[in-house]
Amino acid sequence: MTGNHQTVALLLFSAFIAVTLGITTWVSRNRHGSAEEFYAGGRLFSPMENGFAIAGDYMSAASFLGISGLIALFGYDGLLYSVGFLVAWLVVLFLVAELVRNCGRFTLADVIAARMRERPVRIAAGTSSVTVSVLYLVAQMVGAGSLVALLLGRTGEMAQAWAVIGVGALMVTYVSLGGMRATTWIQIVKAVLLLGGTIVLTVLVLVRFHGDFDRLLLTAAERSGHGAAFLAPGLKYGGDWTARLDFMSLGLALVLGTAGLPHILSRFYTVPTARAARRSVVWSIGLIGGFYLMTIVLGFGAAAIVGPDAVRASNAAGNTAVPLLALDLGGGADSMGGTVLFAMVAAVAFATILAVVAGITLASSASVAHDLYASLRRRRSEPHSEVAVARAAAVGIGAVAIGLGLLARDLNVAFLVGLAFAVAASANLPVLLYSLFWRSFTTRGAVWSMYGGLVPALVLVLLSPVVSGTPQSLFPGVDFQLFPLQNPGLVSIPLGFLAGWLGTVTSTEVADEAKHAETEVRSLTGAGAV
């Protein structure tokens, strides 16, 4: 897009940034600086508000850009992400939401440390949470780079680099100034915009095919170049045993990973009661479920209307499929309708990225301050100094995410999120479930479980085709690939559970029955919960 059309697109694109910065500025003038205000927004949000915020936190660039792109390129196999992300919420609803709200204050470590020795547990949990958060942030940065570069009419590395840097600077501003309250309202606004934009595009795609979904699928298969194989399993994860195991590994990571994501768990502390936390999840499941059903239409719509070849030409990983679809549905690049619709989608996608990175940065900075810093200086630390550390940590985490985002700019954002889910399911979920449900679980078991899942997951990713050995790798010019799977979940998740069990049965520590009983009563009834 050039000339006046690009100017209109940039103006529409900038409106959301202005609104969200206004929200952040307003909230920063009305805060009182306490840890509860910064980490949990004063626990003042209703279940509906928190449900919209959870949906806004969860429906990330991986969902809007990455999943639709994968479906456009690989058809049926891309559906695994939509199904996995949605089914994961049943695990959250039935196993962790209410119990986590009752047992903790601000972070995952609060739940585990309730019946363990605090210092080693908090250090391990803080390390794990920050690692997962940074991996998740990288996916959002990659999505931002692809989107803004396309909006500016440039696809070069420099345009993507400046886009990543700009998103990083904005997310640090949101978190440092506004804390959880500003982040929550940004996520609510973003959820409304994202759902509205997705509904508009879905309706336009179905209108293009006169409401005939079968015709949409057949057209997508015809344009894909794969024919009927496009609508059947196996195009991406079929064939040899490695691809099939990769499929199983990815599915396991997606279904189990959500319950271990720090920025999702932290949302349960922003409501006043456990019942409100459970109702928040019900709200979010309805919103998220509707959204993922629409991404299926958008993915096949992009394949049928834009074509996989055009999607790959714009971005090899498929991250720009939805913006290109919007451009075509509006009348093309030279039309005002196409420009406006494209700009609307770009603004919604950018709102998605900003809201998600703000939530992730807040959760990770809370882990640094509340778990790592406070555990090392617990006797001398105070809430105000802890909040100051959290704000400083947001800057450091933002810098790391920017650097990794620049490195991984050619990978699909949904695929990158799948790696973050695998690490979360390997390191955080085992220790969380053991802490809540295993009476004999010990401090050694907790520490071994987190490191026993985290370290293998990271090592397997480093030794996988994601990093080296193929033209699509981060470092295509070298080959130190030893692990054949792209997603480590099939191996690292069982290792996390095994390490927790092994650490417990070999420990000389006797589990504190009184603490376990107190934790059990609190988790199930809410008695004594903060």
Side-chain angles (χ1 to χ4, degrees):
M1 294 184 297
T2 58
N4 295 330
H5 288 176
Q6 191 177 68
T7 302
V8 172
L10 289 172
L11 288 173
L12 292 174
F13 179 74
S14 302
F16 178 80
I17 298 176
V19 171
T20 52
L21 286 175
I23 292 173
T24 303
T25 303
W26 176 75
V27 170
S28 66
R29 291 178 179 176
N30 292 277
R31 69 169 192 261
H32 53 79
S34 69
E36 184 170 298
E37 172 70 24
F38 186 80
Y39 295 143
R43 310 188 198 280
L44 299 175
F45 294 99
S46 69
M48 184 182 73
E49 291 170 343
N50 198 45
F52 270 87
I54 290 174
D57 213 354
Y58 193 70
M59 296 184 300
S60 65
S63 304
F64 193 53
L65 302 177
I67 293 178
S68 300
L70 284 175
I71 294 174
L73 297 181
F74 300 106
Y76 183 93
D77 280 9
L79 290 175
L80 175 64
Y81 286 88
S82 291
V83 174
F85 284 148
L86 181 56
V87 172
W89 278 99
L90 299 179
V91 179
V92 176
L93 176 63
F94 291 119
L95 286 182
V96 302
E98 188 172 355
L99 304 183
V100 165
R101 173 60 187 85
N102 281 336
C103 290
R105 291 185 65 209
F106 305 126
T107 65
L108 168 68
D110 290 335
V111 180
I112 305 166
R115 48 177 294 218
M116 310 289 176
R117 295 199 311 273
E118 284 204 29
R119 187 168 182 173
V121 165
R122 286 190 179 276
I123 291 173
T127 302
S128 172
S129 295
V130 171
T131 303
V132 172
S133 298
V134 169
L135 285 173
Y136 209 108
L137 278 173
V138 170
Q140 312 310 314
M141 296 297 187
V142 171
S146 301
L147 182 69
V148 176
L150 183 63
L151 180 70
L152 296 175
R154 301 183 178 93
T155 57
E157 294 182 359
M158 187 59 66
Q160 295 187 38
W162 280 112
V164 169
I165 294 170
V167 171
L170 283 170
M171 79 179 184
V172 170
T173 301
Y174 293 147
V175 173
S176 301
L177 294 180
M180 179 58 84
R181 189 169 298 187
T183 299
T184 299
W185 282 112
I186 290 169
Q187 288 164 344
I188 292 171
V189 172
K190 166 257 175 139
V192 173
L193 289 175
L194 180 60
L195 288 169
T198 307
I199 290 171
V200 169
L201 288 180
T202 301
V203 169
L204 290 175
V205 170
L206 293 177
V207 168
R208 177 72 67 92
F209 291 91
H210 306 290
D212 189 343
F213 191 68
D214 286 343
R215 183 182 170 194
L216 167 63
L217 294 179
L218 292 174
T219 305
E222 182 180 345
R223 291 205 63 180
S224 70
H226 298 285
F230 190 71
L231 304 178
L235 194 59
K236 180 175 175 61
Y237 295 108
D240 59 15
W241 64 271
T242 301
R244 294 174 184 270
L245 288 177
D246 232 340
F247 182 86
M248 297 170 59
S249 186
L250 176 62
L252 190 65
L254 295 181
V255 171
L256 298 181
T258 300
L261 292 176
H263 67 290
I264 296 299
L265 295 176
S266 66
R267 290 239 53 93
F268 301 140
Y269 301 124
T270 62
V271 290
T273 65
R275 183 170 181 268
R278 186 175 63 250
R279 291 175 61 195
S280 297
V281 176
V282 174
W283 270 99
S284 64
I285 287 176
L287 297 170
I288 292 168
F291 170 77
Y292 281 122
L293 288 176
M294 289 187 287
T295 61
I296 296 173
V297 177
L298 298 185
F300 283 113
I305 296 172
V306 180
D309 292 338
V311 172
R312 285 192 183 91
S314 174
N315 182 273
N319 295 328
T320 56
V322 172
L324 292 175
L325 174 64
L327 199 63
D328 193 292
L329 290 172
D334 296 328
S335 67
M336 182 57 70
T339 300
V340 171
L341 193 58
F342 175 88
M344 181 196 75
V345 170
V348 167
F350 197 67
T352 296
I353 292 166
L354 287 179
V356 172
V357 298
I360 301 169
T361 306
L362 180 61
S364 54
S365 62
S367 294
V368 171
H370 186 63
D371 298 330
L372 298 177
Y373 168 77
S375 65
L376 296 174
R377 300 187 58 189
R378 181 154 300 281
R379 293 181 180 178
R380 292 179 288 168
S381 63
E382 298 177 357
H384 289 288
S385 63
E386 192 176 300
V387 171
V389 171
R391 292 195 175 102
V395 178
I397 291 167
V400 172
I402 288 171
L404 293 176
L406 295 175
L407 183 65
R409 58 179 169 264
D410 293 327
L411 296 181
N412 181 276
V413 289
F415 169 75
L416 288 171
V417 166
L419 296 182
F421 273 57
V423 177
S426 304
N428 291 346
L429 183 63
V431 69
L432 181 60
L433 295 181
Y434 279 148
S435 297
L436 291 172
F437 300 111
W438 189 11
R439 182 180 297 274
S440 302
F441 197 45
T442 64
T443 300
R444 176 189 283 185
V447 174
W448 282 26
S449 181
M450 283 182 278
Y451 289 131
L454 176 65
V455 175
L458 294 178
V459 170
L460 291 176
V461 170
L462 290 175
L463 298 178
S464 74
V466 175
V467 177
S468 70
T470 69
Q472 294 78 34
S473 301
L474 290 178
F475 303 104
V478 295
D479 185 0
F480 47 86
Q481 172 195 337
L482 297 176
F483 182 66
L485 305 183
Q486 293 186 325
N487 192 291
L490 193 62
V491 176
S492 59
I493 294 173
L495 285 178
F497 281 98
L498 177 63
W501 173 82
L502 190 61
T504 298
V505 298
T506 60
S507 174
T508 57
E509 175 188 356
V510 178
D512 191 324
E513 291 288 340
K515 283 188 176 180
H516 171 75
E518 179 184 348
T519 302
E520 187 175 39
V521 170
R522 177 182 294 183
S523 66
L524 294 175
T525 68
V530 179

Coordinates of all heavy atoms in Angstrom, one line a residue, residues 154-199:
R154 N 6.9 -2.8 3.9 CA 8.3 -3.3 3.8 C 8.4 -4.7 4.4 O 7.7 -5.0 5.4 CB 9.2 -2.4 4.6 CG 9.2 -0.9 4.1 CD 10.2 -0.1 4.8 NE 10.3 1.3 4.3 CZ 9.6 2.2 4.8 NH1 8.7 2.0 5.8 NH2 9.7 3.5 4.3
T155 N 9.1 -5.6 3.8 CA 9.3 -6.9 4.3 C 10.7 -7.2 4.7 O 11.1 -8.3 5.0 CB 8.8 -7.9 3.3 OG1 9.6 -7.7 2.1 CG2 7.4 -7.8 2.9
G156 N 11.6 -6.2 4.7 CA 13.0 -6.4 5.0 C 13.2 -6.6 6.5 O 12.3 -6.4 7.3
E157 N 14.4 -7.0 6.8 CA 14.8 -7.3 8.2 C 14.7 -6.0 9.1 O 14.4 -6.1 10.2 CB 16.2 -7.9 8.3 CG 16.2 -9.3 7.6 CD 17.6 -9.9 7.7 OE1 18.5 -9.3 8.3 OE2 17.7 -11.1 7.2
M158 N 15.1 -4.9 8.5 CA 15.2 -3.7 9.3 C 13.8 -3.3 9.8 O 13.6 -2.8 10.9 CB 15.8 -2.6 8.5 CG 16.1 -1.3 9.3 SD 17.1 -1.6 10.8 CE 18.7 -2.0 9.9
A159 N 12.8 -3.4 8.9 CA 11.4 -3.0 9.3 C 10.9 -3.9 10.4 O 10.3 -3.4 11.4 CB 10.5 -3.1 8.0
Q160 N 11.2 -5.2 10.3 CA 10.7 -6.1 11.3 C 11.5 -5.8 12.6 O 10.9 -5.9 13.7 CB 11.0 -7.5 10.9 CG 10.1 -8.0 9.7 CD 10.2 -9.4 9.4 OE1 10.3 -10.2 10.3 NE2 10.2 -9.8 8.1
A161 N 12.7 -5.5 12.5 CA 13.5 -5.2 13.7 C 13.0 -4.0 14.5 O 12.8 -4.1 15.7 CB 15.0 -5.0 13.4
W162 N 12.7 -3.0 13.8 CA 12.1 -1.8 14.5 C 10.7 -2.0 15.0 O 10.4 -1.5 16.1 CB 12.1 -0.6 13.5 CG 13.4 0.1 13.4 CD1 14.2 0.1 12.2 CD2 14.2 0.8 14.4 NE1 15.4 0.7 12.5 CE2 15.4 1.2 13.8 CE3 13.9 1.1 15.7 CZ2 16.3 1.9 14.5 CZ3 14.8 1.8 16.4 CH2 16.0 2.2 15.8
A163 N 10.0 -2.9 14.4 CA 8.6 -3.2 14.9 C 8.8 -4.0 16.2 O 8.1 -3.7 17.2 CB 7.9 -4.1 13.9
V164 N 9.7 -4.9 16.3 CA 9.9 -5.7 17.5 C 10.4 -4.8 18.6 O 9.9 -4.9 19.8 CB 11.0 -6.8 17.2 CG1 11.4 -7.4 18.6 CG2 10.4 -7.9 16.3
I165 N 11.3 -3.9 18.3 CA 11.8 -2.9 19.3 C 10.7 -2.0 19.9 O 10.6 -1.8 21.1 CB 13.0 -2.1 18.8 CG1 14.2 -3.0 18.5 CG2 13.3 -1.0 19.7 CD1 15.3 -2.4 17.7
G166 N 9.8 -1.6 18.9 CA 8.7 -0.7 19.4 C 7.7 -1.4 20.3 O 7.3 -0.8 21.3
V167 N 7.4 -2.7 19.9 CA 6.5 -3.4 20.8 C 7.1 -3.6 22.2 O 6.4 -3.5 23.2 CB 6.1 -4.8 20.1 CG1 5.4 -5.7 21.1 CG2 5.3 -4.6 18.9
G168 N 8.4 -3.9 22.2 CA 9.1 -4.1 23.5 C 9.0 -2.9 24.3 O 8.7 -2.9 25.6
A169 N 9.2 -1.7 23.7 CA 9.2 -0.5 24.5 C 7.8 -0.2 25.0 O 7.6 0.3 26.2 CB 9.7 0.7 23.6
L170 N 6.8 -0.4 24.2 CA 5.4 -0.2 24.7 C 5.0 -1.1 25.8 O 4.4 -0.7 26.8 CB 4.4 -0.4 23.5 CG 4.4 0.8 22.5 CD1 3.6 0.4 21.3 CD2 3.7 2.0 23.1
M171 N 5.4 -2.4 25.7 CA 5.0 -3.3 26.8 C 5.6 -3.0 28.1 O 5.0 -3.1 29.2 CB 5.3 -4.8 26.4 CG 6.7 -5.2 26.5 SD 7.0 -6.9 26.0 CE 8.7 -7.1 26.5
V172 N 6.9 -2.5 28.1 CA 7.6 -2.1 29.3 C 6.8 -0.9 29.9 O 6.7 -0.8 31.1 CB 9.0 -1.8 29.0 CG1 9.7 -1.2 30.2 CG2 9.8 -3.1 28.7
T173 N 6.4 0.0 29.0 CA 5.7 1.2 29.5 C 4.4 0.8 30.2 O 4.1 1.3 31.3 CB 5.4 2.1 28.3 OG1 6.6 2.5 27.7 CG2 4.6 3.4 28.8
Y174 N 3.6 -0.1 29.6 CA 2.3 -0.5 30.2 C 2.5 -1.1 31.5 O 1.8 -0.8 32.5 CB 1.6 -1.6 29.3 CG 1.2 -1.1 27.9 CD1 1.2 -1.9 26.8 CD2 0.7 0.2 27.8 CE1 0.7 -1.4 25.6 CE2 0.2 0.7 26.6 CZ 0.3 -0.1 25.5 OH -0.2 0.4 24.3
V175 N 3.5 -2.1 31.6 CA 3.7 -2.8 32.9 C 4.3 -1.9 34.0 O 3.8 -1.9 35.1 CB 4.6 -4.0 32.7 CG1 4.9 -4.7 34.0 CG2 3.9 -5.0 31.7
S176 N 5.3 -1.1 33.6 CA 5.9 -0.3 34.6 C 5.0 0.8 35.2 O 5.0 1.0 36.4 CB 7.2 0.4 34.0 OG 8.1 -0.6 33.5
L177 N 4.2 1.4 34.4 CA 3.3 2.5 34.8 C 2.0 2.0 35.4 O 1.6 2.5 36.4 CB 3.1 3.5 33.7 CG 4.3 4.2 33.2 CD1 3.8 5.2 32.1 CD2 4.9 5.0 34.3
G178 N 1.4 1.0 34.7 CA 0.0 0.7 35.1 C -0.2 -0.5 35.9 O -1.2 -0.7 36.5
G179 N 0.8 -1.5 35.9 CA 0.6 -2.7 36.7 C -0.6 -3.6 36.2 O -1.0 -3.5 35.0
M180 N -1.1 -4.4 37.0 CA -2.1 -5.3 36.7 C -3.4 -4.6 36.3 O -4.2 -5.1 35.4 CB -2.4 -6.3 37.8 CG -3.5 -7.3 37.5 SD -3.2 -8.3 36.0 CE -2.2 -9.6 36.8
R181 N -3.8 -3.5 36.9 CA -5.1 -2.9 36.6 C -5.1 -2.4 35.2 O -6.0 -2.6 34.4 CB -5.4 -1.8 37.6 CG -6.8 -1.2 37.4 CD -7.2 -0.3 38.6 NE -7.2 -1.0 39.9 CZ -7.6 -0.5 41.0 NH1 -8.0 0.8 41.0 NH2 -7.5 -1.2 42.1
A182 N -4.0 -1.7 34.8 CA -4.0 -1.2 33.4 C -3.9 -2.3 32.4 O -4.6 -2.3 31.4 CB -2.8 -0.2 33.2
T183 N -3.1 -3.3 32.7 CA -2.9 -4.5 31.8 C -4.3 -5.2 31.6 O -4.6 -5.6 30.5 CB -1.9 -5.5 32.4 OG1 -0.6 -4.8 32.5 CG2 -1.8 -6.7 31.6
T184 N -5.1 -5.3 32.7 CA -6.4 -6.0 32.6 C -7.3 -5.2 31.7 O -8.0 -5.8 30.8 CB -7.0 -6.1 34.0 OG1 -6.1 -6.9 34.8 CG2 -8.4 -6.8 33.9
W185 N -7.4 -3.9 31.9 CA -8.3 -3.1 31.0 C -7.9 -3.1 29.6 O -8.7 -3.2 28.6 CB -8.4 -1.7 31.5 CG -9.4 -1.6 32.7 CD1 -9.0 -1.3 34.0 CD2 -10.8 -1.9 32.7 NE1 -10.1 -1.4 34.8 CE2 -11.2 -1.7 34.1 CE3 -11.7 -2.2 31.7 CZ2 -12.5 -1.9 34.4 CZ3 -13.0 -2.4 32.1 CH2 -13.4 -2.3 33.4
I186 N -6.6 -3.1 29.3 CA -6.1 -3.2 28.0 C -6.5 -4.6 27.4 O -6.9 -4.7 26.2 CB -4.5 -3.1 27.9 CG1 -4.1 -1.6 28.3 CG2 -3.9 -3.5 26.6 CD1 -2.7 -1.4 28.5
Q187 N -6.4 -5.7 28.2 CA -6.8 -7.0 27.7 C -8.3 -7.1 27.4 O -8.7 -7.7 26.5 CB -6.4 -8.0 28.7 CG -4.9 -8.2 28.7 CD -4.4 -9.0 30.0 OE1 -5.1 -9.1 31.0 NE2 -3.2 -9.5 30.0
I188 N -9.1 -6.4 28.2 CA -10.5 -6.4 28.0 C -10.9 -5.7 26.7 O -11.6 -6.2 25.8 CB -11.3 -5.7 29.2 CG1 -11.2 -6.6 30.4 CG2 -12.7 -5.5 28.8 CD1 -11.7 -6.0 31.7
V189 N -10.3 -4.5 26.5 CA -10.5 -3.8 25.2 C -10.0 -4.6 24.0 O -10.7 -4.7 23.0 CB -9.8 -2.4 25.3 CG1 -9.8 -1.7 23.9 CG2 -10.4 -1.5 26.4
K190 N -8.9 -5.2 24.2 CA -8.3 -6.0 23.1 C -9.2 -7.2 22.8 O -9.5 -7.6 21.6 CB -7.0 -6.5 23.5 CG -6.4 -7.6 22.6 CD -6.5 -9.0 23.3 CE -6.1 -10.1 22.4 NZ -5.3 -11.1 23.1
A191 N -9.8 -7.9 23.8 CA -10.7 -9.0 23.6 C -11.9 -8.6 22.8 O -12.3 -9.3 21.9 CB -11.1 -9.7 24.9
V192 N -12.5 -7.5 23.1 CA -13.7 -7.0 22.4 C -13.3 -6.7 21.0 O -14.0 -7.1 20.0 CB -14.2 -5.8 23.1 CG1 -15.4 -5.1 22.3 CG2 -14.8 -6.1 24.5
L193 N -12.2 -6.0 20.8 CA -11.8 -5.7 19.4 C -11.5 -6.9 18.6 O -11.9 -7.0 17.4 CB -10.5 -4.8 19.4 CG -10.8 -3.3 19.9 CD1 -9.4 -2.6 20.0 CD2 -11.7 -2.6 19.0
L194 N -10.8 -7.9 19.2 CA -10.4 -9.1 18.5 C -11.6 -9.9 18.1 O -11.7 -10.4 16.9 CB -9.4 -9.9 19.3 CG -8.9 -11.2 18.7 CD1 -8.2 -10.9 17.4 CD2 -8.0 -12.0 19.7
L195 N -12.5 -10.1 19.0 CA -13.7 -10.9 18.7 C -14.6 -10.2 17.7 O -15.1 -10.8 16.7 CB -14.5 -11.1 20.0 CG -13.9 -12.1 21.0 CD1 -14.7 -12.0 22.3 CD2 -14.0 -13.5 20.4
G196 N -14.7 -8.8 17.8 CA -15.4 -8.1 16.8 C -14.8 -8.2 15.4 O -15.5 -8.4 14.4
G197 N -13.5 -8.0 15.3 CA -12.8 -8.1 14.0 C -12.9 -9.5 13.4 O -13.1 -9.7 12.2
T198 N -12.8 -10.5 14.3 CA -12.8 -11.9 13.8 C -14.2 -12.2 13.3 O -14.4 -12.9 12.3 CB -12.4 -12.9 14.9 OG1 -11.2 -12.5 15.5 CG2 -12.3 -14.3 14.4
I199 N -15.2 -11.7 14.0 CA -16.6 -12.0 13.5 C -16.8 -11.3 12.1 O -17.4 -11.9 11.2 CB -17.6 -11.4 14.5 CG1 -17.6 -12.3 15.8 CG2 -19.0 -11.3 13.9 CD1 -18.4 -11.7 16.9

